[in-house]
Amino acid sequence: MAYLPNEVPGPRPTVDDKVFWDYCQQRELRFQRCTACQRFRHPPAPVCPQCRSFESQWVRAPETGVVFSFTIVHHPAHPAVAAVTPYNIVIVDFPECDHARLVSNLTDATPEEVRIGMPVALIWETAGNGMIVPRFKHMKTERGNSE
Ligand code: ZN
């Protein structure tokens, strides 16, 4: 079962992020990288914010990241999530990709367990609209915790 109920609206790709979501449908996390200055960027955009180049490529991201920030949602802003509050929303940072960041969820952490700096691993889930979406799991250390 997915972290969020099927009634939660899934992604609806736009002209700017269609390629990102197309790769996700193949269970490949890729970030856009400027071919002129080599900087990664996310969310996808037609122009590099660093050098204004229109040229870019899609580079496979590591399957691990770090929680940059998070929030715990207690108030259901959409009726579909009323039954699953409190739930987390995390911003996952990818240091190897110029700190490109992805908004997602940690599927296996209680609200009390989520921490900034927590190492996380990529997993895939299917949203209610059938789109395959990147989610994350807490990476346990050898000692069995995240500290
Ligand atoms: Zn650039």
Side-chain angles (χ1 to χ4, degrees):
M1 185 178 141
Y3 184 67
L4 295 175
N6 281 346
E7 292 73 25
V8 173
R12 296 198 308 191
T14 68
V15 65
D16 287 330
D17 64 9
K18 181 182 184 315
V19 175
F20 173 82
W21 289 114
D22 284 348
Y23 278 117
C24 287
Q25 302 322 291
Q26 302 169 49
R27 298 174 188 262
E28 284 187 29
L29 182 62
R30 289 182 183 250
F31 288 129
Q32 193 177 27
R33 184 169 71 184
C34 175
T35 41
C37 74
Q38 305 298 314
R39 292 278 300 185
F40 283 89
R41 62 179 183 261
H42 190 81
V47 180
C48 175
Q50 299 294 318
C51 76
R52 309 292 181 223
S53 171
F54 284 86
E55 304 301 317
S56 68
Q57 60 189 150
W58 290 86
V59 177
R60 194 133 189 192
E63 298 203 342
T64 59
V66 176
V67 173
F68 172 78
S69 188
F70 69 95
T71 190
I72 304 298
V73 179
H74 291 270
H75 177 75
H78 189 283
V81 293
V84 295
T85 55
Y87 66 94
N88 68 68
I89 298 173
V90 295
I91 299 176
V92 177
D93 182 90
F94 293 84
E96 301 93 335
C97 297
D98 300 318
H99 295 280
R101 293 172 184 154
L102 196 61
V103 177
S104 184
N105 309 98
L106 262 185
T107 63
D108 65 342
T110 66
E112 297 76 23
E113 291 172 328
V114 185
R115 294 281 181 274
I116 289 171
M118 173 184 266
V120 294
L122 176 68
I123 62 166
W124 297 98
E125 286 193 340
T126 303
N129 67 352
M131 294 281 289
I132 297 172
V133 295
R135 301 273 196 247
F136 293 86
K137 284 197 169 208
H138 177 201
M139 282 173 57
K140 315 287 187 204
T141 64
E142 290 174 11
R143 289 178 297 153
N145 62 49
S146 65
E147 309 306 326

